[in-house]
């Protein structure tokens, strides 16, 4: 139990609260990476299904 308390203190947070004025750079980076991932997956799915021959009954 003491190890958990020591690890939580050693996290590096100073305890000072800062007012948020806008999105952080990490938020912007996450959004860009997510948008790029969605774009890549949609492009791959369009290519995959465009090459598939029509199903014959």
């Amino acid at each position: 139990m003491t190890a958990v308390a020591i690890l939580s203190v050693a996290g590096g947070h100073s305890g000072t609260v800062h007012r948020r004025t806008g999105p952080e750079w990490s938020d912007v980076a996450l959004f860009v990476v997510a948008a790029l991932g969605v774009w890549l997956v949609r492009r791959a799915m369009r290519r995959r299904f465009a090459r598939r021959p029509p199903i014959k009954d």
Side-chain angles (χ1 to χ4, degrees):
M1 194 61 143
T2 57
V4 174
I6 290 172
L7 289 174
S8 65
V9 172
H13 192 275
S14 66
T16 306
V17 178
H18 297 284
R19 185 174 174 191
R20 288 192 61 147
T21 57
E24 297 288 331
W25 284 111
S26 61
D27 298 334
V28 174
L30 283 172
F31 177 78
V32 168
V33 169
L36 181 64
V38 168
W39 179 75
L40 285 172
V41 168
R42 287 179 54 118
R43 185 180 72 157
M45 294 300 284
R46 280 194 304 267
R47 285 185 177 180
R48 178 181 178 185
F49 289 110
R51 283 187 266 168
R52 181 172 288 181
I55 299 172
K56 295 181 182 179
D57 289 330

